[in-house]
C-alpha cells in the first residue's frame, strides 16, 4: 500500500491489524512485508508503527501511535572494529528522541549508543528479533546456490575464487519480491558475502533464507551463530540430510530465541 499521498512516492507500508510496518527502500520494504506477514495473534490489536530502517525517517511519521525504529545497519563487528555504517552522534541522538523504542538488530552496535543519557539509552533494545513463531520445514534442493545484493570488489573477488568450488548463480542487482522468491524456491540455498571485511551477521538475508526453508552458506557470522551448526562455510558441500539438520538447529537454537512476537510483547503496552 502506497503512502505517497502523505509521505512521498518512496514510502511504503504493510499492515497486520493495527500494526503498521513502514519502509523507504525496496530491500527494507521487503523486510517490512515479511514481518507484516507473521501470525502475531493478539498483538495486532496494538496501535504501533515499526519503521524498518530507522535511519531513513526524519520528520514525517504516521499519526499518533507507538513508534518503534528498527535499525539494521552495521557499525561494529565482533572484534570491535568499526564498519562502514557508523553514524554521527547527532544521528543516534535523533533516533533516540524520535522513537519510543529503538531495536538495533546487532548487539555488536551497543558501543555506539554509550554516550546517550540513561533516560534515552533505556529506549535502545538489541537483538535480531526478526523471526516468526514458526518457520517452514526445510525445503532442500540440489539446485545452484544463489547470491543477491550489491556487488563490490570484495564480493567479486570471493565469487571468482568460489567459482571452481561451488555452482553460484548471481541474481541481477535489484531482484526483489516475487522474482526473488521464485529464484530462492528453486535454489539449493543462499550465499551470504560480507560487504566489508569483518565478523558480523546480515540478519535480513538470513531471515529471507529461513522464511523459504533454505540454508545459508556464508562468510563467518557473529556469535551465537556457529558455522557447521547453524550455517555452512562458503566452500562446504553438505548432503541434503546435513543441510536439513543444520536448518533444524538454526530454527530451534537461534530463530526460536529471537521471535518478533516476544520482542513486541515486551515493549508494547499491556
Amino acid at each position: 500500500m502506497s503512502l505517497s499521498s502523505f509521505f512521498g512516492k518512496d514510502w511504503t507500508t504493510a499492515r497486520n491489524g493495527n500494526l503498521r510496518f513502514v519502509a523507504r527502500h525496496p530491500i527494507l520494504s521487503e523486510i517490512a512485508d515479511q514481518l507484516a506477514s507473521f501470525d502475531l495473534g493478539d498483538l495486532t490489536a496494538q496501535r504501533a508503527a515499526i519503521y524498518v530502517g530507522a535511519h531513513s525517517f526524519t520528520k514525517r511519521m504516521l499519526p499518533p501511535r507507538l513508534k518503534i525504529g528498527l535499525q539494521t545497519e552495521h557499525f561494529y563487528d565482533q572484534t570491535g572494529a568499526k564498519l562502514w555504517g557508523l553514524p554521527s552522534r547527532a544521528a543516534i541522538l535523533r533516533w533516540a528522541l524520535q522513537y519510543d523504542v529503538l531495536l538495533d538488530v546487532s548487539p555488536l552496535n551497543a558501543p555506539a549508543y554509550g554516550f546517550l543519557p540513561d533516560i534515552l539509552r533505556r529506549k535502545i533494545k538489541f537483538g535480531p528479533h526478526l523471526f516468526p513463531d514458526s518457520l517452514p520445514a526445510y525445503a532442500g534442493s540440489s539446485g545452484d546456490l544463489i547470491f543477491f545484493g550489491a556487488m563490490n570488489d570484495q564480493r567479486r573477488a570471493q565469487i571468482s575464487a568460489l567459482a571452481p568450488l561451488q555452482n553460484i548463480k548471481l541474481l541481477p542487482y535489484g531482484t526483489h519480491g516475487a522474482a526473488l522468491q521464485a529464484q530462492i524456491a528453486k535454489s539449493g540455498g543462499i550465499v551470504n558475502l560480507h560487504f566489508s571485511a569483518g565478523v558480523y551477521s546480515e540478519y535480513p538475508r538470513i531471515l529471507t533464507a529461513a522464511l523459504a526453508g533454505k540454508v545459508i552458506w556464508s562468510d563467518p557470522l557473529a556469535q551465537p551463530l556457529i558455522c557447521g551448526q547453524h550455517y555452512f562455510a562458503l566452500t562446504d558441500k553438505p548432503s541434503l540430510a546435513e543441510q536439513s539438520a543444520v536448518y533444524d538447529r538454526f530454527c530451534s537454537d537461534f530463530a526460536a530465541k529471537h521471535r518478533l512476537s516476544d520482542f513486541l510483547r515486551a515493549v508494547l503496552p499491556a
Side-chain angles (χ1 to χ4, degrees):
M1 173 182 175
S2 174
L3 290 178
S4 59
S5 60
F6 185 70
F7 294 112
K9 292 183 179 180
D10 60 336
W11 289 59
T12 60
T13 182
R15 183 194 295 271
N16 188 341
N18 286 330
L19 297 177
R20 302 289 287 272
F21 297 80
V22 191
R24 294 192 64 189
H25 184 279
I27 294 174
L28 298 173
S29 293
E30 196 145 339
I31 299 170
D33 289 342
Q34 290 170 337
L35 300 179
S37 72
F38 295 174
D39 181 358
L40 296 173
D42 60 340
L43 292 168
T44 62
Q46 298 276 9
R47 287 181 56 81
I50 295 88
Y51 294 84
V52 182
H55 63 284
S56 302
F57 303 93
T58 52
K59 297 179 180 179
R60 304 209 80 175
M61 311 287 278
L62 284 173
R65 62 182 67 205
L66 191 78
K67 298 183 291 294
I68 300 173
L70 184 61
Q71 202 300 109
T72 59
E73 300 297 303
H74 297 284
F75 307 155
Y76 297 94
D77 86 335
Q78 190 166 276
T79 70
K82 291 181 181 179
L83 299 173
W84 71 92
L86 185 63
S88 67
R89 287 191 170 190
I92 292 174
L93 177 61
R94 174 172 58 80
W95 303 344
L97 290 170
Q98 78 182 57
Y99 295 109
D100 299 302
V101 180
L102 180 69
L103 173 62
D104 191 312
V105 300
S106 176
L108 304 177
N109 288 340
Y113 302 90
F115 74 96
L116 292 172
D118 287 347
I119 193 171
L120 294 180
R121 198 161 58 243
R122 285 195 290 270
K123 290 185 176 184
I124 317 300
K125 312 299 180 184
F126 295 98
H129 305 295
L130 301 175
F131 296 88
D133 285 9
S134 62
L135 283 164
Y138 168 66
S141 167
S142 57
D144 292 345
L145 305 181
I146 60 171
F147 173 80
F148 55 92
M151 272 293 181
N152 64 358
D153 290 343
Q154 174 166 307
R155 285 174 167 174
R156 288 189 189 93
Q158 286 180 284
I159 292 290
S160 178
L162 287 168
L165 305 173
Q166 298 281 22
N167 294 322
I168 301 176
K169 180 178 181 180
L170 304 182
L171 301 187
Y173 180 66
T175 303
H176 300 299
L180 176 60
Q181 296 307 316
Q183 293 290 338
I184 292 174
K186 62 185 181 183
S187 76
I190 292 177
V191 171
N192 181 66
L193 303 174
H194 294 330
F195 193 79
S196 178
V199 179
Y200 53 95
S201 300
E202 291 87 345
Y203 293 114
R205 186 177 285 113
I206 294 169
L207 171 64
T208 296
L211 291 176
K214 302 293 183 177
V215 182
I216 286 273
W217 277 253
S218 182
D219 281 325
L221 299 175
Q223 296 175 355
L225 291 169
I226 300 172
C227 187
Q229 293 192 35
H230 306 120
Y231 69 98
F232 292 108
L234 293 170
T235 55
D236 286 347
K237 287 186 170 293
S239 66
L240 291 179
E242 290 170 328
Q243 292 179 44
S244 179
V246 161
Y247 178 78
D248 288 346
R249 279 197 297 271
F250 170 86
C251 292
S252 60
D253 292 352
F254 184 79
K257 298 174 183 176
H258 295 94
R259 294 171 173 164
L260 176 64
S261 63
D262 292 337
F263 165 73
L264 291 177
R265 208 170 294 282
V267 301
L268 292 174

